[in-house]
Amino acid sequence: MSAFPAAPAAASAGTAGTVGNPVVPAQAGPRGSGRPAEPAQRHARPVITELRLSAFGRHRSAAFPLGPVTLFAGPSGSGKSQALAAYGALTGLGAGATLDEAFPDAGARIPDRALPDAQRRRGFRLGCTVDGPAGPVRLDLAVQAEPALRIVGERLSQDGQILFATALRDPGRRSVQAAWLTGGAVGVTRAPLPDDRLGTALLPLRVAGSTAGQRQVLAAAEQVVVALRSVFACDPRPDRMRAPVPQGEGRLLGDCANLADVLRRTRNECGTRHALLAEAARTGCSGPVTGLDVRAPEGGAVTAVLDRGPGRPATELSRLGSGELRFLALALVLLTGPGVLDMDPAAELLSARQALTVLADGFDHGLDGCQSAELLRLALLSCGRGHVRLVAAVGEGTAAAARYLAGVSVVDLSV
């Protein structure tokens, strides 16, 4: 392994906002976190167990352990949304997005007082640890946001061994020099890669897997990519959920605008989960609720309704409050699986061997205490089986209640 570069040096790391070596410095634990995220263990399905941010918005050399249910709490401006945005950007890069797509507002992620280096460069660092069948794997990125958005350093490592690394050698070229473990007589393979895409996601297309070293690199890269792609970012928009919707595939969109069509599908294809959702609606929706139904005339639009029981007229979703609509959408997401969500999980691994992570900023926005408590109950029910995980930003009321729940990790950003 001595032939492998010790560090993919990119630029001087003289200031907090300067892009440099992608090695993340010594990390501080989550400030004020509640219960431990989860004990050290080998996960049967690839999952992200830690998020690391350095010079990213308000975050300085921070590491956040992520458990089955992780809630970020803190006052406005404490960095809850920034942490979830970093998580979402990593998932986008893992799915093949460019830097421009993953960071449409990259400049806003640079700390306010970060000084540029001698070449007028500023940026940030982020990374994650993915645990799974291959064991814990670290991914670390150094991103230059100014003057041009590019990845200037990337590192994939396991047990202290660097498996893959990139570095920006020539700022005049839109590429980075990559090197990955090969083993045998060659030792290391080097090749240029684009500077606007995650190199780890490109490795399965570049590495043959003909040597033990290459197979180790592939196993680590594929585990990371599977975990990054198994994410559904959910932000229900009640203003888009009230109108009848055309019949379609029944795959829930990120804004949940087609909730009625998805309810049509779950009612027809998954009676057990639909019944669980109807049971949750009795807690989260006002008035008597005996079931969830849909009106779907042949060739017509789909309207979802709450069944109020014998002798009572049904209530269309258009008449529900915003909190009730958000509650129904989030409950559906927690009770369903990737096949009912508009996402593109890794095709090379069976869905039963993947863990869905729900990413929700403002998880309890517009909800009352009863609705938030019921969603937490559903999250613990679903996440306790290992198939679903939740990473969300919440208000102080929900965080205060969650701190006493076994299985919930609260990351407090107020201190």
Side-chain angles (χ1 to χ4, degrees):
M1 193 62 185
S2 60
F4 204 93
S12 171
T15 66
T18 300
V19 178
N21 193 302
V23 177
V24 176
Q27 301 293 326
R31 295 168 290 173
S33 59
R35 300 174 182 269
E38 55 192 322
Q41 59 183 345
R42 180 66 58 86
H43 290 78
R45 302 173 184 86
V47 293
I48 297 176
T49 57
E50 183 179 72
L51 174 69
R52 295 182 294 277
L53 301 175
S54 182
F56 189 95
R58 297 180 62 88
H59 301 291
R60 307 287 191 277
S61 299
F64 305 115
L66 304 177
V69 178
T70 304
L71 306 180
F72 285 83
S76 177
S78 61
K80 302 187 298 292
S81 294
Q82 289 176 339
L84 266 67
Y87 194 119
L90 283 171
T91 65
L93 292 171
T98 64
L99 273 182
D100 286 328
E101 295 167 334
F103 294 105
D105 54 351
R109 305 304 177 188
I110 303 173
D112 288 339
R113 299 181 181 180
L115 299 176
D117 65 7
Q119 287 74 44
R120 309 300 299 171
R121 294 174 295 188
R122 298 197 304 168
F124 46 82
R125 299 172 185 168
L126 68 165
C128 64
T129 297
V130 176
D131 202 356
V137 179
R138 284 178 59 110
L139 171 68
D140 295 301
L141 293 177
V143 177
Q144 174 187 293
E146 297 174 354
L149 184 62
R150 62 202 313 180
I151 295 176
V152 296
E154 177 179 349
R155 173 174 287 180
L156 190 69
S157 60
Q158 186 173 29
D159 296 329
Q161 181 183 35
I162 302 172
L163 304 179
F164 166 75
T166 70
L168 179 65
R169 300 299 186 192
D170 184 354
R173 294 184 177 182
R174 294 312 306 258
S175 64
V176 291
Q177 184 65 33
W180 60 85
L181 178 66
T182 304
V186 176
V188 173
T189 300
R190 291 181 171 83
L193 290 179
D195 67 353
D196 65 341
R197 293 183 184 274
L198 186 69
T200 298
L202 300 176
L203 285 177
L205 303 176
R206 302 294 297 267
V207 181
S210 57
T211 68
Q214 289 177 341
R215 289 190 289 273
Q216 184 181 358
V217 171
L218 282 176
E222 289 173 352
Q223 178 169 287
V224 169
V225 171
V226 167
L228 292 177
R229 294 185 64 173
S230 303
V231 174
F232 181 69
C234 182
D235 182 19
R237 294 285 302 273
D239 56 312
R240 302 178 183 178
M241 299 162 60
R242 301 182 185 280
V245 297
Q247 295 188 33
E249 297 181 353
R251 300 185 67 193
L252 190 67
L253 302 174
D255 63 1
C256 304
N258 63 334
L259 176 64
D261 188 45
V262 180
L263 291 176
R264 173 193 60 80
R265 179 181 175 186
T266 59
R267 184 197 63 173
N268 295 334
E269 299 181 7
C270 190
T272 300
R273 290 179 178 177
H274 192 82
L276 288 173
L277 182 60
E279 180 181 346
R282 298 186 185 101
T283 301
C285 298
S286 61
V289 178
T290 59
L292 280 169
D293 203 356
V294 293
R295 296 167 181 166
E298 186 174 355
V302 183
T303 301
V305 298
L306 292 182
D307 188 344
R308 298 298 191 178
R312 295 186 177 94
T315 303
E316 296 184 1
L317 259 60
S318 61
R319 294 181 174 272
L320 298 184
S322 295
E324 292 175 302
L325 288 172
R326 282 184 55 85
F327 170 85
L328 285 175
L330 290 166
L332 174 60
V333 171
L334 291 172
L335 289 171
T336 189
V340 186
L341 305 175
D342 186 29
M343 57 183 295
D344 185 25
E348 58 271 17
L349 195 64
L350 295 174
S351 59
R353 299 181 63 185
Q354 301 184 44
L356 166 69
T357 297
V358 178
L359 195 64
D361 194 3
F363 180 70
D364 56 348
H365 177 69
L367 306 185
D368 60 30
C370 186
Q371 292 168 330
S372 298
E374 177 65 6
L375 283 182
L376 284 178
R377 185 189 74 83
L378 293 178
L380 288 171
L381 173 67
S382 298
C383 299
R385 300 167 182 163
H387 293 275
V388 179
R389 294 166 73 88
L390 173 66
V391 179
V394 299
E396 182 50 42
T398 300
R403 288 188 178 95
Y404 300 97
L405 296 177
V408 178
S409 178
V410 178
V411 179
D412 191 350
L413 299 178
S414 62
V415 294

